[in-house]
Amino acid sequence: MSDTVESVIVAIDGPSGTGKSSTSKAVASALGLSYLDTGAQYRAITWWMISNGIDVADPAAIAAVAGKPVIESGTDPAAPAITVDGLDASGPIRTQEVTSKVSAVSAVPEVRTVITDLQRSIASAAAQGIVVEGRDIGTTVLPDADLKIFLTASPEARAARRSGEIKGSDVAATREALIRRDAADSSRKTSPLAKADDAVEVDTTDLSLQQVIECVVTLVEERRSTPKQVAR
Ligand SMILES: Nc1ncnc2c1ncn2[C@@H]1O[C@H](COP(=O)(O)OP(=O)(O)OP(=O)(O)O)[C@@H](O)[C@H]1O
Ligand SMILES: Nc1ccn([C@H]2C[C@H](O)[C@@H](COP(=O)(O)O)O2)c(=O)n1
């Protein structure tokens, strides 16, 4: 019997604020895997569009330049990095302006083609395996992932979590903004936010972050000990 641990690809999808980033980073760190935040990539391309004066309400204008920005993502879960044309984008992609425009930009099919290709090449280069988090990883980007998780939580729990990050923020307004973004991400034509048929759904509403991390680590370990059955 070999001592080498097989590479594993884990897809973690779900709506905003369900704990995808926190869980994915912790699971990747615990298991020695790489980590990819695909939302950061859509935020990065959105930031580039805004910085270059592209009208984000004009899908044709976005499509015409979708291949221009050079986006690079680091995959160290302890220090996730993202650059656009060589510039550190980790701060600018978290602004309210980018958050309010990212659903429109990420709905453009040409944008999704560019970013999906990038995500697949990063995943295939991860020798030890990778945890990839987003909205369409299990359904579209990596349909053959070894394990697919779909995280959910009530809008109230998600809004409370998000509001906890920003002192003095309005929980009701945060809740409405989350619901609006989820509706846009779920209703777009090209690879919408959706649970893959073979994903394991984990409702995190009443779970602590530590409980969610332990649950996902257990699921990965179980998958590693019982390889996926391939349909013939
Ligand atoms: N189970 C949990 N219990 C309490 N707080 C949590 C839980 N999971 C995540 N959080 C907190 O909720 C906030 C949002 O989590 P996180 O950024 O991981 O969500 P996300 O699904 O990646 O969101 P988005 O899609 O908007 O990027 C963070 O402050 C995180 O610490
Ligand atoms: N695989 C993905 C990941 C993200 N998006 C879009 C939709 C989200 O609203 C936005 C930002 O993601 P977040 O940083 O909040 O995780 O990016 C997508 O379409 N597909």
Side-chain angles (χ1 to χ4, degrees), residues 45 59-60 62-67 105 107-116 190:
I45 198 165
I62 294 172
V65 294
V105 174
V108 176
E110 288 78 0
V111 167
R112 299 207 74 81
T113 299
V114 167
I115 300 290
T116 298
T190 312

Side-chain angles (χ1 to χ4, degrees), residues 8 10-12 19-35 77 130-132 147 149 151 209-221 224:
V8 65
V10 182
I12 301 193
K20 298 181 300 296
S21 299
S22 323
T23 304
S24 300
K25 274 187 274 193
V27 169
S29 290
L31 298 174
L33 305 176
S34 297
Y35 160 71
I130 190 165
V131 181
V132 184
L147 175 65
I149 310 274
L151 296 184
L209 176 55
Q210 195 51 40
Q211 286 175 314
V212 181
I213 294 164
E214 283 166 15
C215 168
V216 175
V217 166
T218 302
L219 288 167
V220 176
E221 285 170 343
R224 274 178 151 163

